[in-house]
């Protein structure tokens, strides 16, 4: 079973940037659509950004123009570059396959202070 490990979360001031990483134990990024999700306390897990197996990306309206999803197929990795961060971006961020989920990783905490 492929395992997913997220990293890169941190405490950052509003307007700052972070780059999240997603590492997979198997080569899945070239064969499947992948996505970043986030879950704020007391809220449901929401889709933030997705990238198809062909490399086409799409974003939630709330992050368009600020976040960029990318992947490194050779290294079984995916990234989320987050710029101009806002306090409402505070959440635990997860990566996963679409549409059939793999077991969820632990996620990585992003906290944006105002």
């Amino acid at each position: 079973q492929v395992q997913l490990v997220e990293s890169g979360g941190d405490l950052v001031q509003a307007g700052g940037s972070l780059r999240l990483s997603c590492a997979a134990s198997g080569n899945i990024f070239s064969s499947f659509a992948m996505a970043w999700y986030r879950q704020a306390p007391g809220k449901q897990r929401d889709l933030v950004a997705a990238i198809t197996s062909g490399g086409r990306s799409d974003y939630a309206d709330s992050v368009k123009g600020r976040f960029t999803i990318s992947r490194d197929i050779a290294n079984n990795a995916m990234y989320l570059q987050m710029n101009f961060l806002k306090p409402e971006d505070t959440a635990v961020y997860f990566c996963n396959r679409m549409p059939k989920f793999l077991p969820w990783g632990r996620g990585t905490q992003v906290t944006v202070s105002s």
Side-chain angles (χ1 to χ4, degrees), residues 38 61-68 81-86 88-89:
R38 67 186 181 187
D61 287 344
S62 59
V63 306
K64 277 182 182 177
R66 300 189 298 122
F67 290 11
T68 303
Q81 178 67 43
M82 306 187 296
N83 299 327
F84 306 108
L85 283 161
K86 304 176 181 180
E88 50 263 44
D89 295 319

Side-chain angles (χ1 to χ4, degrees), residues 17 21 38 48 66 73 77 88-89 92-93 95 100-101 110:
S17 298
S21 298
R38 67 186 181 187
V48 175
R66 300 189 298 122
I73 294 174
E88 50 263 44
D89 295 319
V92 180
Y93 285 70
C95 61
K100 188 174 181 181
F101 295 143
V110 173

